[in-house]
Amino acid sequence: MNALIPDIETLKKVVKINSSLPYESIEPYIEDALDIYVKPYIGQSVIKQALTDQGSEIYSKLLRALGPLTLMLATNELGVMFGDTGITVSNVQGQRSPASDSKIAAAKENLCFRGMQALDRLITYLEENKEDFPEYVTDHISPFCFIRNAHDFQDLGMVDIDYSTLSYRIMYPTIRQLQERNIREMIPDNVYADLREAYSKDKPTPKQQVLIDHIIRFLANKTAELYTSQKTTEQRVASKAIEYSPAIRPIYQDPDANGNFFASQATYYAGKIHTYLAENAEELGIETRSQAIDFNSKKKKLFTSIS
C-alpha cells in the first residue's frame, strides 16, 4: 500500500474512476508516477513532509498532481491481462464496451495536462514558501544561472511562459548550456567573473546591469527559439509521446512565412552584447589593444631593400 494514495477512495478525490476498480490494479503505478514525474522536481524531503500531515495544503497539492499522472501511466494496461495464453482482454457481452483508441489517447493527454498543471502549481507553491520547506531549498541548490527563475525568464527575458515554474525547470539545462557555450564565448573571462560575482550578490554596477539585461534577453529568446522551432515541433509530433511541453507563447503561429520571431530576437540581443562590450570596454575592465601599426621608430621601416 502506498501511503500517499492508500485506497481508491483517496484517488477518487482527484480523478474520475470507478469504485469497483481493485486497488491492486492501480497501486504499482503510484510509485512509478511519483519517481518519474514528481520526485525529481520536489525532492524526497517534501514528500515525507506531506505524509506527516495529510490534512495539509502541501499534501492536497501533491495528491492533485500524483493522481492524474498515476492514472495516465496505468491507462494502457488497465483491462489488459497477462497470462500463459498471452495478452488478453475481457469479452463479456452486455457489459461496458472498451473505449476507442482516440478516446483513450484524449483521456491520457488530458490526464497528463491536469497532472502537470498541478505539479506546476505545487512547485510554484514551494518556491513561494521556501521558509516553510528548508530541506526543499537544500535539495534544489542550482549552479549559477543569469535567469534565476520563471519570473526572470518572463519579466527580464521578455518571453511569455505564463510564469510557469515547471516550464522554467524543464528548460533550465538548455539555458545553462547556452550560457556556458554562447555567453562564455562572447564575454571575456574576467568580465564574466565580475558579472557573476556582482549578480550573485545583487550588487551589479549600472554598466554591468545593462549587460546582464542583454544577456538574460539573449538566453530567454534563444531558449524559446530552440523549443518553438519547426524542427523541434516536427520531432515531438513524430515521437507520438505524451509529454509536458514548456509553455511558451509565440508571437505568431506561421513559422513558414515569417520565420521564428525568437530567433531574430536572439540574434538582435547577441549583437547588442557585442556592441555594448566594445563601447564600454574600459568601464567593464576589458583590456583593449590598438590595431594600428606603430612606425614611430627609425628601426622600423615600411620598405626594405632587397639588393
Side-chain angles (χ1 to χ4, degrees):
M1 182 183 71
N2 186 282
L4 287 169
I5 304 179
D7 49 49
I8 291 296
E9 291 303 314
T10 302
L11 186 60
K12 285 178 64 178
K13 293 178 181 179
V14 291
V15 293
K16 183 180 178 182
I17 193 170
N18 198 316
S19 298
S20 63
L21 177 69
Y23 177 74
E24 293 75 17
S25 297
I26 207 79
E27 183 180 12
Y29 307 98
I30 300 173
E31 200 68 34
D32 288 343
L34 193 66
D35 289 341
I36 295 169
Y37 299 108
V38 180
K39 193 180 294 183
Y41 293 104
I42 68 173
Q44 184 63 35
S45 61
V46 173
I47 296 172
K48 289 181 178 179
Q49 192 165 343
L51 283 170
T52 58
D53 184 5
Q54 297 195 4
S56 64
E57 187 172 2
I58 191 66
Y59 173 78
S60 176
K61 290 183 179 296
L62 177 55
L63 183 62
R64 294 192 72 84
L66 183 59
L69 294 173
T70 296
L71 195 56
M72 180 196 72
L73 276 184
T75 298
N76 284 354
E77 296 180 39
L78 288 177
V80 175
M81 293 172 284
F82 297 86
D84 55 0
T85 58
I87 302 174
T88 59
V89 296
S90 297
N91 186 22
V92 181
Q93 296 297 327
Q95 296 188 3
R96 296 176 182 267
S97 301
S100 65
D101 289 345
S102 60
K103 284 186 176 293
I104 293 173
K108 287 182 64 178
E109 186 174 350
N110 194 62
L111 287 168
C112 179
F113 175 78
R114 287 183 56 215
M116 288 301 183
Q117 288 296 314
L119 180 58
D120 194 2
R121 294 192 296 272
L122 170 60
I123 298 171
T124 301
Y125 175 79
L126 291 170
E127 289 290 329
E128 292 175 350
N129 297 274
K130 288 182 176 181
E131 65 279 0
D132 298 329
F133 304 96
E135 293 183 0
Y136 165 78
V137 177
T138 304
D139 291 343
H140 292 83
I141 297 177
S142 302
F144 171 77
C145 184
F146 283 103
I147 302 181
R148 296 177 287 194
N149 50 51
H151 282 267
D152 280 1
F153 197 101
Q154 181 156 331
D155 292 340
L156 303 181
M158 299 192 292
V159 175
D160 186 0
I161 59 170
D162 281 344
Y163 296 107
S164 169
T165 305
L166 181 57
S167 293
Y168 167 76
R169 289 281 188 85
I170 290 174
M171 294 187 292
Y172 178 79
T174 303
I175 299 171
R176 285 271 304 152
Q177 186 180 52
L178 291 171
Q179 177 176 296
E180 294 302 311
R181 170 63 175 83
N182 295 63
I183 297 300
R184 291 299 294 264
E185 288 196 356
M186 293 183 192
I187 300 175
D189 290 342
N190 64 314
V191 177
Y192 184 90
D194 291 342
L195 287 177
R196 175 172 177 168
E197 181 179 1
Y199 196 49
S200 298
K201 296 179 180 179
D202 290 323
K203 293 182 179 180
T205 65
K207 293 282 187 182
Q208 287 178 327
Q209 187 61 59
V210 173
L211 181 56
I212 289 170
D213 289 343
H214 291 332
I215 291 172
I216 290 174
R217 287 163 192 162
F218 168 79
L219 290 174
N221 281 278
K222 190 66 178 177
T223 301
E225 174 199 345
L226 295 176
Y227 276 89
T228 60
S229 69
Q230 188 72 7
K231 181 61 69 176
T232 298
T233 303
E234 291 172 356
Q235 289 175 351
R236 287 180 179 274
V237 171
S239 69
K240 297 181 180 180
I242 295 178
E243 60 178 344
Y244 179 81
S245 297
I248 302 174
R249 298 190 182 278
I251 305 303
Y252 41 67
Q253 297 280 0
D254 190 8
D256 290 332
N258 298 299
N260 189 302
F261 171 79
F262 300 116
S264 62
Q265 289 298 99
T267 301
Y268 169 76
Y269 284 111
K272 293 284 285 185
I273 292 172
H274 287 299
T275 301
Y276 193 79
L277 288 171
E279 292 176 347
N280 300 274
E282 185 176 347
E283 293 90 336
L284 293 170
I286 301 174
E287 182 180 350
T288 58
R289 297 178 180 177
S290 174
Q291 300 299 314
I293 301 176
D294 182 13
F295 288 105
N296 190 22
S297 170
K298 292 181 178 181
K299 295 181 180 180
K300 297 176 182 177
K301 300 177 181 179
L302 183 59
F303 301 102
T304 60
S305 174
I306 60 175
S307 58

